[in-house]
Amino acid sequence: MYSNDTIAAIATAVGESGIGIIRISGPEAIAITNQVFEPKQDKDLNEVESYTAHYGHIVEEEQVVDEVITLVMKEPKTYTKEDVVEINCHGGTVVLRKILDLILNQGARLAEPGEFTKRAFLNGRIDLAQAEAVADLIQSKTEASMEVALDQLEGGLSDQVNDIRQDLIALLAHLEATIDFPEDEIEDFQSEELGARIDTVQQKIDDLLATSERGKILKEGVEAAIVGRPNVGKSSLLNALVREKRAIVTDIPGTTRDVIEEVINIDGIPVKIIDTAGIRNAENQIEKIGVEKSEEYLTKAELILLVVDISDGITDEDKRLMRDAQNKEVVVIANKLDLEHQLELEKIKEILPEAAIVKTAAIANQGINELEDAIANLVYSGKINAQEETMVSSLRHKKALERAKENVSDVKSTWEQGLPNDFLTIDLRAALEAVNEITGDAVGEDIIDQIFADFCLGK
Amino acid sequence: MKEYDVVVIGAGHAGCEAALASARMGCSTLLLTLNVDHVALMPCNPSIGGPAKGHIVREIDALGGQMGRNIDKSYVNIMMLNTSKGPAVHALRAQADKPTYQSEMIRTLEAEENLDLKQDVVTELLVENQEVTGVKTITGMSYQAPKVVLTTGTSLNGKVIIGDVKYTGGRQGEFAATHLADSLKDAGIELDKFQTATPPRIDQQTVDFSGMRIHPGSEEKLQFSFFQDRAEREQKPCWVTHTNERTKEVIESNIEDSPLSTGIVEGEGPRYCPSIDRKIMRFPEKTSHQVFVEPEGMDTNELYLNGLTTSMPEELQVKIIQSVPGLEEAEIMRPGYAVQYDAIPTYQLNSTMENKRVKGLYTAGQINATSGYEEAAAQGLMAGINAVLSLRDQDPLILKRSDAYIGVLIDDLVNENPKEPYRMLTSRAEYRLLLRQDNADLRLSEIGYDLGLLSDEEYQQVRKKDTAITDTMQYLDNNRITPTKEVRATLKDLNSGGLKKPVSLATILARPELDYQDLNLLVDDLPEVKPEIAEQIEIETKYRGYIEKQMRQVEKFKKMEKKKLPEDIDYSELETLRTEAREKLDKIRPVSLGQASRIPGVSPADISALMIYLETYKQDADDEEEE
Ligand SMILES: Cc1cc2nc3c(=O)[nH]c(=O)nc-3n(C[C@H](O)[C@H](O)[C@H](O)COP(=O)(O)OP(=O)(O)OC[C@H]3O[C@@H](n4cnc5c(N)ncnc54)[C@H](O)[C@@H]3O)c2cc1C
């Protein structure tokens, strides 16, 4: 059970940026910082104004640890609604850890992941959807997913869900008004209008749900597999990709060393490349993977990077792999392509008409940018525009929306059967409850308030 | 000093039910009221029932209360509303012959063995150590009782307002209860101001009905009570006319005289009974509002102008009325007025209707921030029952939201602390497909019988109905028809679709176009059942999927109700709760997690925090036991 103690943590992701921030929150935040911070001008942090920055040093036994700027923010107008101090330092990981240690030694407790947000939420600073966005933010690995999380944090998702919620409430209020006030002159819904309104809500839920797939991709990444017959250049392709884009996550710790995930960042999308052990140790291991193993990866991965060596022509083995990849997102990497093999491209298109084809002469040196573009295009394709879209990225939200979708489609079928209005309200209400789980609202008086806001009722 | 088991203060709709329940359960009961001629008076509209309210009346009846039986003996117009909107919201509504409604209720009270009815003004609640011991009246009489049910309606500190005239009174022509309000405050009870208003009554001889739409009563025989078969009564129609631009003009040009502008009436009024001034100001684009012209009784000339509620100065009331077609010459018999009064904010109320601060004191009706005769009667019945059960150290009767509208009503009151006089609406009941007015007897009469409020005979009647439904359902499930030539021809005659393979009779009956009697054309041995049984069977077969869905929702709801919150939780110590939630939970002190989740201001996250707390609490308790 949490008590109001003071917590501290490194707020910037380890090793990712030039400056690091340590955040401290709780009743003792300022006093604790004061113990280890020596300001340039002689002042006491306990006495400074809220939202002021102070330049100075972090010292340990009179030794300067780092040169820092300390930001003091006093409750309640802070993220957690508690006193918050942020120490901005230059140091890399080692220095950050050192300073954090000093703070912890002064009586702060190491914050659990997401605990700042939890406090913000419990203190009523942010709503449930926003809190979950922060949790995503903490876990998100690349900028694109960060943007989704940020959008959600700023209420983007709440706005869209609220829009759906308002539609449901308005529908219910109208139906309920005609039921509870049968003698007031409220126009009954015309059947077609009712059907159209149900369709509109359905569409909005569908649209939002459609983004959930992408929300997942941006957060968890795309699983990609490099496949191809032996000796077409798979390992040099992988190494080139990894070299270019520093791997941001390395191996999964665990039971077996058989599988390694290389996660590379392509235009903000984490792309996980499923790989076997020791690629970098044993250069050619990947090449040993034959067609069979490739087929196995083919079924698992969401994205297929299929390498063919055009100089050999398109072989039967290539064709088999291509056919297996037919209902996947595919980028074909046509290696060693020159003019005299141009014809072979047609053969690829015959089997994979939709696939992006990237031509490379020598993978290690050329074509990597084109390949990255092709991958990014695939992921960002379709109607979704990653920059502006609000996305559903939490599983809990997705499940709630799916339930709402089911309820609304039940409403539609009730309507199609021509059952009396009362039957529509059962599933409409269930849909509203599902949506409320995202926003954290209770059904309660909302419908009744809406009835009286929309209609002149009562005698 | 005379002693009673239960003293009920106020013979309004709540008080009558409370006193009858208590007396019928065998307790010596005293019913004190300001004016015996005003017993069961309907100070506002002359009707009983309608959506949700009609449901409540039938539930009262199934529990052994009086309201349904009383209106069956006194209506002048009765009809079923909402018949096209689904069986759950069919709503029975009657216009009452007000004098007969009262005299029938007085007769019933007088006939009750354990019940004394006395005219007196209660001025003081006798309380010792925060427990009630009796009451004292204006004449200096005292009565001792371990349980007191307080149902004084709009009387506490009541003020009647017409235009700029404001005087002390519980309602037109009656005292206010001023001393009693002080006595409640002394006992530590907090009061809050509310208001309500009623339209003018006019003389029928001055009305021209020729341009109005007529609303005759139902031709079908209808009644509220499940039990006593009543003879059909002679009916009188209601009439409908409309306000127009002129009405709007009169009000707009005199709006400074409306209580809306003068602010002379204090407290919140009900949104569902807005005054005509408020309607016109709130919805200026609407140029015409309905006015229902309703009889106040069979042998009176007074007509009630439903839709023209106002407490503007009387001369303006005349102008407003006379702007309406058909009412150009109308003469007012009683002007419309508003009443402001003190009610007890319901965070002080337990689900048993007992006050949280004064033991043995039960409150019901308008005093609990509600409005409406039916809502009052339901609470009175529950308060009376629970006062007796508590006197006998028996478990209280608390109806769940999934049992009855009455359960929804009381649960809402206890959790929501209404900011305006609360009225029951069908949309407040989340399981309303199960809480139909047609099955209130099946849902509740066992309780009424166990309490001694229904007779053997009455209960047996319900048992028989229940058995007949079960048997017939079984018959329909177990018997099939095969698609023979004759069957197909019959179905075609009935405008029903074809049939490919054998199906049960229940499946056939599920077709919207068929009713129970149609099955007679398909099989020879169809059980003969009464119409009310056929109705239950049709509902059950036709809407089975929806009914099952609601039953699943109820299961979910009950799970949360079963998660009890310990009585001694110190919410101020639970730092995982948001501050607002801590305050609300501490004030209301819900008994279950389910109840907590219905308190406005307690969010789903707070509920999760409470769940975690419950887990650790259980562990602590287990640990202690081990030690
Ligand atoms: C002006 C007005 C307008 C209304 N408008 C509406 C409306 O628009 N819609 C609606 O649904 N309802 C309306 N009502 C409310 C409806 O009348 C009540 O909801 C219903 O009657 C409440 O029942 P009750 O039993 O709580 O109180 P009441 O029926 O008011 O009964 C209270 C009884 O207590 C008695 N009493 C009071 N004080 C004492 C005392 N000290 N000692 C002894 N006896 C006492 C009174 O004489 C009375 O008999 C209105 C009421 C009034 C007065």
Side-chain angles (χ1 to χ4, degrees), chain A residues 121-122 176 178-180 183 185 410 414 419-420 422-423 425 427 429 440 445 449 452 455 457-459, chain B residues 82 85-86 88 93 242 271-272 274 279 282 290 306 425-428 432 543 546 549 576 578 604-605:
Chain A
F121 173 62
L122 290 174
E176 298 288 15
T178 60
I179 288 171
D180 270 319
E183 292 183 321
E185 293 165 312
D410 285 353
T414 302
L419 283 165
D422 177 40
F423 291 96
T425 65
D427 290 303
R429 214 172 255 269
E445 283 283 290
D449 287 342
F452 290 111
F455 304 101
L457 292 172
K459 299 182 282 194
Chain B
N82 266 348
K85 290 169 191 145
R93 206 232 1 241
H242 285 84
R271 275 180 296 183
Y272 35 82
K279 282 192 274 191
R282 276 266 289 125
Q290 285 186 111
N306 203 341
L425 300 166
T426 67
S427 45
R428 298 190 195 271
R432 71 179 172 208
Y543 309 120
Y546 295 89
K549 201 175 268 182
T576 42
R578 291 167 320 114

Side-chain angles (χ1 to χ4, degrees), chain B residues 103-175:
Chain B
S103 59
E104 286 294 346
M105 188 60 88
I106 294 175
R107 197 200 311 275
T108 307
L109 293 169
E110 286 172 348
E112 200 58 52
E113 237 175 87
N114 297 319
L115 182 69
D116 289 347
L117 175 64
K118 290 185 198 292
Q119 175 165 313
D120 210 338
V121 183
V122 174
T123 50
E124 201 183 326
L125 198 65
L126 303 175
V127 178
E128 268 170 42
N129 300 326
Q130 291 310 111
E131 186 160 356
V132 85
T133 58
V135 299
K136 208 168 152 182
T137 74
I138 202 163
T139 59
M141 290 291 286
S142 290
Y143 299 96
Q144 260 189 333
K147 305 288 167 195
V148 171
V149 185
L150 187 65
T151 64
T152 51
T154 51
S155 302
L156 283 186
N157 273 330
K159 295 235 161 44
V160 170
I161 298 119
I162 307 175
D164 56 0
V165 183
K166 185 171 185 175
Y167 61 87
T168 301
R171 48 196 184 193
Q172 188 76 294
E174 213 173 70
F175 299 123

Side-chain angles (χ1 to χ4, degrees), chain B residues 204-275:
Chain B
Q204 155 179 305
Q205 292 154 292
T206 60
V207 175
D208 173 11
F209 293 103
S210 58
M212 298 187 191
R213 203 170 69 227
I214 186 165
H215 269 215
S218 165
E219 285 177 16
E220 188 194 344
K221 180 178 175 252
L222 294 168
Q223 67 173 53
F224 278 93
S225 180
F226 292 104
F227 303 107
Q228 291 154 1
D229 196 18
R230 288 272 151 211
E232 262 179 272
R233 293 176 55 84
E234 189 193 336
Q235 299 197 43
K236 235 179 162 177
C238 298
W239 304 85
V240 184
T241 177
H242 285 84
T243 67
N244 50 28
E245 290 282 5
R246 270 190 40 233
T247 322
K248 197 171 168 230
E249 222 177 85
V250 174
I251 289 172
E252 278 173 346
S253 56
N254 291 288
I255 196 68
E256 72 275 10
D257 290 326
S258 160
L260 287 180
S261 321
T262 61
I264 190 170
V265 194
E266 295 166 64
E268 271 311 312
R271 275 180 296 183
Y272 35 82
C273 297
S275 63

